[in-house]
Amino acid sequence: MIDRYRVKPNQAINLAEWDADARGDFTRKAAGEAAVAKLNQELEHLQELLYAENRHKVLIVLQAMDTGGKDGVIRHVFDGVNPQGVKVASFKAPTPKELSHDYLWRIHQQTPATGEIVIFNRSHYEDVLVVRVHGLAPEEVWRRRYDQINAFERMLAEEGTTILKFYLHITKDEQKARLQSRLDDPEKRWKFSLGDLAERKRWPEYMHAYEDALSKTSTDWAPWYVVPANRKWYRNWVISTVIVDTLKAFDMRYPQPETLPDNLVIE
Ligand code: AMP
Ligand code: MG
């Protein structure tokens, strides 16, 4: 069921054919929301276990066009999980210092340690997306990055990191509505930036760059999921389901307590 959103290695992707409005088997939104709430309870428990067991490292990559819902996923999917053991790393335009290193330098510093879940709000994929669309690096430079990224993620996976990557798929019309509501709502206005309109003009180029990235970098060790994201509750359900299924498959146990004497008295 959820596998239909998983991109196979080198699968040709035409995003226009991927339904951003999908709602799976849910006929009612309320049922979807209830399912998300239940998954959230499970995730809370599984994350406690992950932290206690201190054996697994989990990296979650979120990529999307502006207003795609990255912030919403972080707020809703991870609602109530213990902040000890869950970290968010947001990647903005690189600083001069970051630019003076290779593009993976700042990324590698934020990858998870054992017992941690790290969520990337944007990522090294910007280096084959915005960098490509705006020609911030020559084509020969960004072209070779797909292989470099696959090799980097492979190393992380071989060293024990579980990687899940989500592209939140919204339509251009949906972005228009969301930008408009940012403009209209005084509490959302801070999120609106004129730069978003300039990026919106390049929608087709971004779609093309995303299609290439999804196709070239969805691997057995770091798969991409194309998440239908026009409906926020369904987006949250898909992502929660993938994460919960993945953590369940770890078959985690609380650590063995140390052996204690039978006659132990706490004074
Ligand atoms: P926001 O996520 O809205 O705070 O915006 C962050 C901005 O940083 C976006 O416009 C990204 O395209 C930009 N950004 C992130 N990573 C890079 C990068 N490697 N090179 C250039 N721009 C980047
Ligand atoms: Mg923004």
Side-chain angles (χ1 to χ4, degrees), residues 9-48:
N10 297 311
Q11 179 182 350
I13 302 284
N14 174 3
L15 282 169
E17 291 170 356
W18 291 66
D19 181 12
D21 279 311
R23 57 190 305 155
D25 297 331
F26 294 104
T27 45
R28 289 179 315 120
K29 175 181 174 181
E33 286 173 336
V36 172
K38 190 161 165 279
L39 286 165
N40 180 257
Q41 291 297 308
E42 284 188 77
L43 181 59
E44 244 184 87
H45 170 71
L46 287 162
Q47 188 268 326
E48 276 294 323

Side-chain angles (χ1 to χ4, degrees), residues 63-64 66-67 70-71 90-94 99 103 106-107 121-131 134 136 145 182 191 193 195-196 199 206:
Q63 282 289 156
D66 288 314
T67 76
K70 300 190 301 320
D71 297 332
S90 299
F91 296 97
K92 309 271 179 185
L99 270 180
Y103 67 102
R106 65 174 182 163
I107 306 295
N121 182 347
R122 301 189 192 269
S123 65
H124 42 305
Y125 285 95
E126 292 294 331
D127 293 285
V128 290
L129 294 165
V130 64
V131 166
H134 284 272
L136 302 178
R145 288 183 175 167
R182 281 186 182 181
K191 278 195 171 191
S193 135
D196 294 348
E199 296 308 292
Y206 270 108

Side-chain angles (χ1 to χ4, degrees), residues 225-239:
Y225 292 83
V226 175
V227 180
N230 274 6
R231 297 175 204 273
K232 295 171 182 175
W233 59 270
Y234 191 64
R235 166 201 80 195
N236 293 342
W237 182 81
V238 169
I239 295 177

Side-chain angles (χ1 to χ4, degrees), residues 7-15 125 128-129 132-133 139 142-143 145-147 149-150 165 167 204-218 224 226:
V7 178
K8 292 173 196 73
N10 297 311
Q11 179 182 350
I13 302 284
N14 174 3
L15 282 169
Y125 285 95
V128 290
L129 294 165
R132 171 177 175 167
V133 169
E139 175 161 355
W142 58 256
R143 277 257 169 235
R145 288 183 175 167
Y146 302 105
D147 286 342
I149 288 172
N150 286 339
K165 303 184 294 198
Y167 165 62
E205 290 131 281
Y206 270 108
M207 288 304 106
H208 196 118
Y210 267 110
E211 286 164 351
D212 255 2
L214 292 166
S215 170
K216 292 178 196 293
T217 64
S218 195
W224 273 110
V226 175

